[in-house]
Amino acid sequence: LKSQHYSQSYSALTFKTDMPSHIEMMELVKLIKNYGRVLVVYSEFKTILNQVATIKDLTQTQTQTEALATDQLKRKDYTFILEPEIHKMIEFFDSQIKNVLLSATFLETELARVASRLVTMDQAQSSAKDLLKKQNQQLIFAKRALFNKKTLETWAALRSQI
C-alpha cells in the first residue's frame, strides 16, 4: 500500500505462519468487528502462471440503492418474538461470516503462493535437465577424445615398429 501511495489510514498485520491459527483468526475477527469497512490486500490466484494483487472488501459495504432499500424495510413495523435477541444473533453471524471470508482469503493467498512455487520448481527442473544434457555431451566428447588418443598412440606404436 505504501508503494501505491494509499491515502487512507491502515494497519498491517503479520502472523506467526502463512496460515494463521484458529486463535489468531478469532483475534483478528474481534479486531475488525467494530470497523465499518475492512479492506484486505492479498495475492489472488487466477491461473498457475498468473497471480494478481487484489483488494477485497470483507464488510461488503452497501451501495446507495441497497441502503435506500434497507431504510424502507426498516420503516415498517414488525411484531415478532425471537429468542435469543436479534442483536446477539446478528453479531454472532457477522463474526462467523468475517471469519469465513478471512479464511478464504488466506487460503487463496496460500494457493497463489503454492502455484508460484510450482512454476519456479518446474523452471528449475527444466534448467537441471538442460545442464544434465550439456554435461552428458561433454562426457561423450571426453570419451571420444580419450578413444582417439589411445587409437593414435596405438598406430604410432605400430608405425614405430615397422
Side-chain angles (χ1 to χ4, degrees):
L1 291 175
K2 287 180 183 177
S3 67
Q4 297 298 319
H5 306 293
Y6 188 72
S7 60
Q8 302 293 323
S9 64
Y10 65 91
S11 60
L13 296 175
T14 306
F15 297 102
K16 293 177 185 174
T17 61
D18 290 340
M19 290 298 293
S21 67
H22 180 69
I23 295 168
E24 288 176 323
M25 190 67 85
M26 293 309 293
E27 288 175 4
L28 179 60
V29 170
K30 285 178 187 175
L31 179 70
I32 66 172
K33 181 172 78 172
N34 297 325
Y35 287 92
R37 189 170 188 197
V38 178
L39 300 176
V40 178
V41 180
Y42 66 101
S43 178
E44 181 181 15
F45 176 83
K46 291 292 186 183
T47 66
I48 198 157
L49 296 174
N50 188 16
Q51 293 87 38
V52 180
T54 303
I55 298 175
K56 184 177 187 178
D57 184 4
L58 287 183
T59 53
Q60 299 176 358
T61 309
Q62 291 182 342
T63 61
Q64 286 182 338
T65 55
E66 291 172 341
L68 287 174
T70 305
D71 284 344
Q72 289 174 354
L73 286 175
K74 285 182 181 178
R75 290 182 191 155
K76 293 183 181 180
D77 290 332
Y78 294 101
T79 305
F80 55 87
I81 298 174
L82 191 59
E83 192 70 34
E85 296 176 20
I86 190 76
H87 177 69
K88 290 181 181 178
M89 288 176 57
I90 289 174
E91 189 175 300
F92 170 77
F93 285 113
D94 185 48
S95 67
Q96 291 299 310
I97 289 170
K98 287 179 181 174
N99 190 4
V100 168
L101 290 172
L102 281 169
S103 296
T105 302
F106 282 108
L107 288 172
E108 192 164 357
T109 301
E110 185 65 19
L111 177 63
R113 187 177 295 119
V114 168
S116 177
R117 288 177 184 157
L118 285 173
V119 169
T120 303
M121 287 187 334
D122 185 54
Q123 290 171 347
Q125 184 179 12
S126 178
S127 296
K129 284 181 182 178
D130 290 342
L131 183 64
L132 259 169
K133 193 176 184 180
K134 287 178 184 176
Q135 292 294 325
N136 282 336
Q137 285 177 344
Q138 289 178 352
L139 182 62
I140 290 170
F141 289 146
K143 284 181 180 179
R144 284 184 188 162
L146 184 63
F147 178 75
N148 288 341
K149 183 178 177 184
K150 285 182 180 179
T151 304
L152 283 174
E153 288 175 356
T154 304
W155 280 104
L158 285 173
R159 285 203 111 158
S160 67
Q161 290 179 358
I162 298 183

